[in-house]
Amino acid sequence: MPPTAVAEHPAPSTPAPGARSTRWLALPEMRWAAASLGLFLLGLLTQVAATPPALTETLYLGCYAAGGWEPALAGLRALREKTLDVDLLMVVAAIGAAAIGQVLDGALLIVIFATSGALEAFATARTEDSVRGLLELAPETAVRVTARGEQTVPTTDLAVDDEVIVRPGERIGADGQVVSGVSDVDQATITGEPLPAGKQPGDEVFAGTLNGTGMLRVRVTRPAQDSVVARIAGLVREAANTRATTQLFVEKVEQRYSIGMVAATVLLLTVPLILGEAPKDALLRAMTFMIVASPCAIVLSSMPPLLAAIANAGRHGVLIKSAVVMERLATTTQVAFDKTGTLTHGAPVIAGVHPFGTWSTSEILRLAAAVEHGSEHPIARAVGREAREQMMDVPPAQDFSAHPGVGVEGTVEGHHLVISSPRGQHLPLVTELQNRGETVVLVHIDGDLAAVAGFTDRLRPDAPRTIAAATTLTSRPPLLLTGDNPAAAAHVARQTGLRDVRAGLLPHQKLDTIRQLQAEGEHLTFVGDGINDAPALAAAHVGIALGTAGADLTLDTADAVVVRDDLTAVPAVIALSRKARRVMIANLTIAATFITALVLWDLLGDLPLPLGVAGHEGSTVIVGLNGLRLLREKHWRV
């Protein structure tokens, strides 16, 4: 009789978490920018309506405070570190404008500058949404089986080897292995599989996936912080805290540029004064110059498009570790693929059973499944899976024994079966199957050869399309780097259209191949999934891991992770990165054009301060919005 259940916590919630995106006003930067804009519009309205000047000035002062306090504080902190921040220069320019009576112009500068900063914060928040969405897949509680019965506990309290009960319709609380029960589990959120996956004892399940109609008992194999969902989410957290190469270059130049700009501003103020120009005119010209020459738009040219591209990729199951990675992907000249687990599913299936004598194919499969039931070898699992798919009544086997490196044997219904490798056998059929890239086993029944069975690693259905897309995108055709035998590699190459095949490579040989290609000038993106791929992933220009079955070391080493079971995401993210690069170049061109035109106008003509503010800060808003358009769904395609 089962022990009495102990209810110590409320029952776990099971509904799928909804996809939540950051709202505009949820960000402090956006709220301060909105407050600044609102106060500016009210001040403008009172100014036009000829209300008492004190009211107008109070509203404008509020606009200055709401939109300017945060960049001013950041600028002062930077100044303490002996760096000159553009934020501080903008606030100084606004105050300078107010000092000479141009209060409206200074307020406009504050509003537009606050708006551009809010847009960048919004792009960063959208990237973080993809992380939060992953983490919220896992339920907060799970039903743990203890000596006292069933106990509802927070999933963070689950330890390795704990056993949990997952009832129909509930979300699985931890990564684990099914101990008992049979059910269908919707894994679309993790693997991208369109149909629920059948689960039975011995199968792996993931935190956050949705159980179907059966009840499962699951043994926890990873703590909550190391689950597939948490590990992958941790990778993308680094994205918002990094700077791309272009951004780093811009930031280095910005310091020297800002110092030069301040020096030029001082000269523009002092020289005309010495020559007898009116103080107000000299100060107005100098303030206008400082505003239009500030590199705000250039600074914002690179990160918004890169962060928007990272967020878009995250929505489609590709998690990019940093903006540097997104930038590097755009320069890819060649893509290299691992074979097993990358272009193929990584699990053998029966390609064919070729019987001899009077034994039929179905009878051989039924008897072989009985013997292989006691083995954990991948070939044994393939035989058992085929028998289950054909709904065979598999009898029990007696006297089972396994011989590592050789095969298995046992007695079924009075017949003695030996299933072994063809080592030392020189049969034409065996040679033919091996030349096709198949793994071959021999089935002997009662001492006679009854059948030759071939096994193959099933090709991913989207592999040919992926290779074709990668070929179109890059300057050189993709290549295959695999540790498998040449025949198996050639078979996959024929199926996918690959021409450059390097087979029989040990991990260090894959690494040497990648280093050699990169020494020849190639920017190689490598796609793999196994532990043996980790050195190659680390050495490649960009390393992409398939996260559905990727080893921990592989996921940690890779620069990007494909979360869903979708190989076409590889060329898609490369295409997206190139769009981001084109947007960056366009942004830099827009920013440089505006700055050059406005500076020349101010130096050689008479540029009104309001027009200078509108032109310069308008260009900042333009490049920010131009970058954010990469969030749109249409940009995720090859």
Side-chain angles (χ1 to χ4, degrees), residues 165-225:
I165 294 294
V166 186
R167 292 184 169 82
E170 291 184 349
R171 287 194 171 266
I172 297 172
D175 287 6
Q177 188 176 51
V178 177
V179 175
S180 63
V182 176
S183 185
D184 291 327
V185 176
D186 184 354
Q187 301 184 146
T189 52
I190 300 295
T191 65
E193 294 173 285
L195 299 176
K199 298 294 179 182
Q200 60 185 5
D203 288 343
E204 185 178 23
V205 292
F206 304 105
T209 54
L210 185 64
N211 187 26
T213 56
M215 188 169 76
L216 298 175
R217 184 164 176 159
V218 176
R219 180 176 59 83
V220 177
T221 56
R222 297 188 188 97
Q225 65 271 21

Side-chain angles (χ1 to χ4, degrees), residues 144-357:
R144 181 169 61 189
V145 180
T146 68
R148 300 170 58 194
E150 295 179 4
Q151 182 182 28
T152 302
V153 298
T155 52
T156 52
D157 290 350
L158 294 175
V160 174
D161 291 332
D162 279 353
E163 292 189 2
V164 297
I165 294 294
V166 186
R167 292 184 169 82
E170 291 184 349
R171 287 194 171 266
I172 297 172
D175 287 6
Q177 188 176 51
V178 177
V179 175
S180 63
V182 176
S183 185
D184 291 327
V185 176
D186 184 354
Q187 301 184 146
T189 52
I190 300 295
T191 65
E193 294 173 285
L195 299 176
K199 298 294 179 182
Q200 60 185 5
D203 288 343
E204 185 178 23
V205 292
F206 304 105
T209 54
L210 185 64
N211 187 26
T213 56
M215 188 169 76
L216 298 175
R217 184 164 176 159
V218 176
R219 180 176 59 83
V220 177
T221 56
R222 297 188 188 97
Q225 65 271 21
D226 293 332
S227 68
V228 170
V229 168
R231 278 200 335 263
I232 295 173
L235 298 178
V236 81
R237 277 202 176 99
E238 301 172 26
N241 297 322
T242 58
R243 291 290 183 268
T245 306
T246 303
Q247 182 75 1
L248 290 172
F249 173 76
V250 167
E251 288 177 355
K252 288 177 182 177
V253 172
E254 176 195 344
Q255 290 300 309
R256 298 174 184 175
Y257 179 89
S258 298
I259 293 171
M261 187 188 66
V262 170
T265 302
V266 172
L267 287 174
L268 277 174
L269 176 62
T270 56
V271 172
L273 288 175
I274 293 171
L275 296 177
E277 188 172 355
K280 182 177 179 179
D281 294 340
L283 184 58
L284 184 60
R285 181 185 294 273
M287 288 298 102
T288 304
F289 173 82
M290 186 166 71
I291 292 169
V292 300
S294 295
C296 304
I298 292 178
V299 171
L300 287 176
S301 293
S302 58
M303 285 308 289
L306 290 173
L307 290 177
I310 289 171
N312 196 339
R315 287 203 310 266
H316 291 88
V318 182
L319 304 182
I320 308 295
K321 282 189 177 182
S322 72
V324 175
V325 174
M326 182 59 78
E327 192 178 33
R328 283 182 182 170
L329 272 170
T331 61
T332 298
T333 59
Q334 190 172 24
V335 183
F337 292 89
D338 172 51
K339 183 183 79 70
T340 306
T342 302
L343 293 179
T344 66
H345 284 283
V349 295
I350 294 179
V353 177
H354 308 274
F356 292 88

Side-chain angles (χ1 to χ4, degrees), residues 73-161:
L73 183 61
L76 290 173
R77 286 173 178 168
L79 202 58
R80 289 177 60 185
E81 301 295 327
K82 298 181 179 179
T83 58
L84 194 58
D85 197 287
V86 173
D87 293 0
L88 184 60
L89 295 179
M90 288 295 98
V91 174
V92 169
I95 294 173
I100 58 175
Q102 303 287 338
V103 181
L104 173 64
D105 301 334
L108 178 61
L109 172 59
I110 289 290
V111 167
I112 299 179
F113 190 71
T115 302
S116 64
L119 289 174
E120 185 175 10
F122 181 68
T124 303
R126 289 296 296 269
T127 302
E128 293 171 352
D129 285 342
S130 64
V131 179
R132 192 159 44 248
L134 280 172
L135 291 176
E136 289 177 354
L137 289 173
E140 295 181 358
T141 58
V143 178
R144 181 169 61 189
V145 180
T146 68
R148 300 170 58 194
E150 295 179 4
Q151 182 182 28
T152 302
V153 298
T155 52
T156 52
D157 290 350
L158 294 175
V160 174
D161 291 332

